Amino acid sequence: MRITQKLVGLSALALMAGCSSLPSMPSLSSLNPFASKSKTNLPAPLVELKGAMAVRTAWKLDIGKANDFILSPALVGTELLVAGGDGAIARVDSVTGRVVWRIKADKPLTAGIGSDGTMLAVGGAKGAVMAFSMDGKPLWTAQASSEVLSAPAVGQGFVVVRSIDNRIIGLDARTGEKKWTVQRPSPPLTLRNAPGMVMAGKDVLIAQPGGKLLSLIVATGAPRWEVAVGEARGATELERVTDIGGTPVVIESDVCAVSYQGRVGCFDLLAGTARWTKELSSDVGVAADQRFVFAVADNGAISAFNRDGGTSAWKNDKLSYRRLSTPVSYGRAVAVGDYQGFIHFLSREDGAFLARAATDGSPVKTVPLVAGSNLIFQTQSGTVTAIAVE
């Protein structure tokens, strides 16, 4: 996780609020709050498991390195859409791993794939937004005001794009024409991650810097509601960073999210009112199912909260400082990837370890997907792995 500081003014010392004319924002790794921790808090060693649950690798596919970006795949029916940093995009059968088609965009990619099943969109270098048909044919290219790190949200005839200067645009899905623009304020320091967006009926839910969760009406860009998942606290700008981690999760009438140095909670999908919140700090997203919300704290502790009320169900801290991914719930397990590409399966009911699988040894930062009986994980080195849970 890195922190971005936005540049304005005439002096190199004027590191304050964002400027939309910049094509991208520089990352200042010296402001990484985990840098000092890494010297004293070593990743937890892995212990041998007894194998309480059978998992196996169903197939693997190399799509290309993600470089410094998070290129999360998308699932459309039984097919996956995956992308690599050099511009590779592929449509893949999620059951067998068979590549239906593979193309290469004319620009390197900086953001993952958004799709509604009729077309797909990705973020490219220097703020490019590129759209393709489901057959892999180019449709149009549009320009965002700055670097795009979050996968576009596609639906209701629109492609919604958020750039790193926190400008949100609604593009016509057929032509790429800009239909509306929303500019939201940003704090001086933000996490350099990929805050996600998700379509929910006629609205799009957008994770925001400063710990805000925003609901916009897709057709017009008008705000439906905005709620603070995390609130800035502390004496310094670094202590006050509280961006939402990962992509909000919509389940039934709830939307659930988590923020860095903030809270985890679920909110009413229509009104934005809080159903419950709990103190927790995370820079990756949550998972949710009928009973639980799962969150990974920035120290590596995995917690399950009862979705009805937010009471604690269990906590597992045996993967501390392994830089875990967004979790995913499937069947009797909740799974999470780590910085060495291991996939850890924990009991959904009590958090006990059930199984472990290996990928390619590189970090898992993308959001895992459930595709039938397979769980899909993509590593930073570009290996897409389908793990069958038996």
Side-chain angles (χ1 to χ4, degrees), residues 234-380:
T236 68
E237 294 294 351
L238 186 59
E239 292 173 333
R240 293 172 63 82
V241 174
T242 181
D243 298 356
I244 290 183
T247 302
V249 172
V250 174
I251 181 166
E252 296 177 342
S253 60
D254 291 345
V255 53
C256 305
V258 67
S259 65
Y260 175 68
Q261 298 187 144
R263 298 176 295 183
V264 60
C266 290
F267 304 83
D268 182 87
L269 184 59
L270 296 179
T273 52
R275 298 198 188 278
W276 59 266
T277 61
K278 298 292 182 180
E279 295 292 316
L280 193 138
S281 176
S282 178
D283 66 335
V284 299
V286 299
D289 59 28
Q290 296 300 317
R291 290 183 56 196
F292 300 113
V293 173
F294 304 96
V296 175
D298 52 36
N299 65 2
I302 306 170
S303 295
F305 301 89
N306 288 292
R307 191 161 69 86
D308 183 15
T311 56
S312 176
W314 54 259
K315 181 177 179 179
N316 184 320
D317 59 2
K318 304 302 182 184
L319 296 173
S320 58
Y321 301 102
R322 295 194 62 85
R323 300 196 294 277
L324 303 180
S325 72
T326 296
V328 60
S329 174
Y330 178 75
R332 65 188 181 102
V334 56
V336 64
D338 73 12
Y339 78 108
Q340 291 181 317
F342 286 108
I343 310 302
H344 308 273
F345 293 83
L346 287 70
S347 167
R348 174 177 174 266
E349 299 299 323
D350 60 15
F353 286 113
L354 297 177
R356 182 185 304 129
T359 56
D360 64 4
S362 69
V364 177
K365 294 184 179 181
T366 62
V367 177
L369 297 175
V370 177
S373 60
N374 292 340
L375 296 181
I376 308 297
F377 294 85
Q378 183 171 336
T379 70
Q380 290 303 99

